[in-house]
Amino acid sequence: MFPSVMPTYARADLAFEKGEGVYLFAADGRRYLDFASGVAVNALGHCHPRLVAALKTQADKLWHCSNLYRVPLQEKVAGRLCRHSFADTVFFCNSGAEAMEGVIKLMRKYHSHAGNPERWRVVVAEGAFHGRTLATLAAGGQEKHLKGFGPVMDGFDRVAFGNLDEMRRAIGPATAGILIEPVQGEGGVRAASPDYLRALRAIADEFGVLLAFDEVQTGNGRTGKLFAHEWAGITPDVLGTAKGLGGGFPLGAVLASEKAAAGMTAGTHGSTFGGNPLAMAVADAVLDELLSDGFLDHVQRMAEMLATAMDDLARRHPTIIEDRRGTGLLRGFKTRPLNGEVVEALAADGLLTVGAGDNVVRLVPPLVIEAAHIREAVEIMDRRFTSLAS
Ligand SMILES: *Cc1c(COP(=O)(O)O)cnc(C)c1O
């Protein structure tokens, strides 16, 4: 019989009944250490008391009223995001792909609003992932995602990730902007160098095009800063984020400077559910935590500890690990065995990880992990890598 849930995922045969902090529990009571975080979504772990309380409190007041009206919680969350980033203004939506659609639309609108409608193309990188809508698929350009879905939407020019000569050559009179992930997540946990990001800023300024970052995965504290581009000491004109922003509640956002958003006037863009009170109440609570004293320092400390532990694992298991990469708590091993097999073996041992492109096993724990959780994960990996090697 055809599955009632459309079989678009290659799912592991695992189902969870509840979550608590950095652990997930299956129906049979078995406990799993969660270094997948719902693919970098559960930034504060599972059922964080502050998030649960915020959602329950809001559930008793108002769920949805649409963007026909003012939503004071949107104004509060947007204000907080602006105060703590480069942005002057925020558009709320419900997912990463939707955020990136908004980013692409904003880049085109910026130039048409400024009297240059011929500037509508976006330079993107090889190995990129921006989502599964028709436009974001075209931006990502992965053959395996595009196949069978008809003509690929026009408007994207692709260059090698990290190559500045190609970037300069790709920019022409039709270019609206540059779109890059500071760390390519799905593409295999490949971090752009700070120098590359700084040079992109300079190139965008030189040619009068917008610089856009996809921080759907790297944003919201994942790398130890609120947004990953902060490490390079530069700011984009616009970015899209999602994943960790709602801590597990579906939420995306487009953050932009006033200048970049000049064309985004009433009626130009919208979303029925975007920024509804439930999502906003949770996001406000997520920001309470992310912005609290010492939170990002904790992420940085845990990240260093994880990086050191991964170096050690790589040294001990050269037949399993080809290299290790990433930044903050977005890290990965490129493995010699198929990454899917490694992910499956670790899950059987009670450690959840995520595959990524380039045969990478991604480690994206909740940002609230402690040293003991890292030690527990390392013990599981150490044991399993030893048995895989023999
Ligand atoms: C996950 C992801 C997306 C897509 O987000 P969805 O919420 O699945 O639509 C886009 N860009 C990046 C970098 C991502 O990691």
Side-chain angles (χ1 to χ4, degrees), residues 89 91 105-106 109-110 113 258 260-270:
T89 187
F91 175 85
K105 285 180 70 178
L106 178 145
K109 191 72 170 181
Y110 167 79
H113 184 73
E258 183 182 354
M264 304 303 284
T265 53
T268 55
H269 194 41

Side-chain angles (χ1 to χ4, degrees), residues 16-240:
F16 303 106
E17 204 168 60
K18 75 178 177 128
E20 203 180 290
V22 302
Y23 293 99
L24 278 168
F25 296 84
D28 62 6
R30 194 158 173 219
R31 192 176 85 156
Y32 293 81
L33 179 58
D34 188 5
F35 271 45
S37 302
V39 193
V41 167
N42 300 99
L44 300 179
H46 299 279
C47 294
H48 189 285
R50 189 169 212 151
L51 271 53
V52 172
L55 187 61
K56 284 182 170 169
T57 304
Q58 187 59 40
D60 280 332
K61 290 194 211 163
L62 177 67
W63 291 23
H64 180 82
C65 62
S66 100
N67 289 304
L68 291 169
Y69 312 103
R70 279 181 54 203
V71 179
L73 273 169
Q74 277 185 24
E75 295 166 21
K76 182 172 182 212
V77 174
R80 294 184 86 179
L81 286 170
C82 290
R83 274 196 301 286
H84 291 276
S85 75
F86 72 99
D88 301 309
T89 187
V90 180
F91 175 85
F92 291 109
C93 52
N94 312 283
S95 69
E98 229 186 314
M100 297 320 300
E101 286 271 346
V103 167
I104 294 162
K105 285 180 70 178
L106 178 145
M107 284 197 274
R108 290 179 171 199
K109 191 72 170 181
Y110 167 79
H111 290 284
S112 97
H113 184 73
N116 304 304
E118 73 286 358
R119 285 195 174 273
W120 59 279
R121 305 188 64 82
V122 176
V123 186
V124 291
E126 279 164 14
F129 180 79
H130 299 298
R132 298 286 201 139
T133 61
L134 288 168
T136 57
L137 276 182
Q142 303 287 330
E143 179 59 28
K144 63 177 193 273
H145 293 157
L146 286 163
K147 202 168 160 241
F149 292 107
V152 179
M153 191 185 136
D154 192 13
F156 299 97
D157 301 305
R158 197 164 309 282
V159 298
F161 187 57
N163 186 319
L164 289 168
D165 292 334
E166 282 191 27
M167 180 60 74
R168 297 184 74 90
R169 276 202 301 275
I171 295 175
T175 305
I178 297 167
L179 170 59
I180 292 285
E181 294 157 87
V183 185
Q184 290 189 337
E186 307 303 310
V189 193
R190 302 197 300 161
S193 74
D195 280 345
Y196 179 62
L197 298 182
R198 283 193 282 269
L200 292 183
R201 177 70 274 174
I203 290 173
D205 290 342
E206 178 185 340
F207 290 95
V209 302
L210 295 182
L211 178 61
F213 289 139
D214 180 340
E215 294 233 28
V216 170
Q217 188 159 166
T218 56
N220 313 300
R222 178 56 51 190
T223 69
K225 299 271 190 198
L226 190 56
F227 293 105
H229 69 262
E230 293 170 34
W231 288 108
I234 46 115
T235 59
D237 300 295
V238 56
L239 71 73

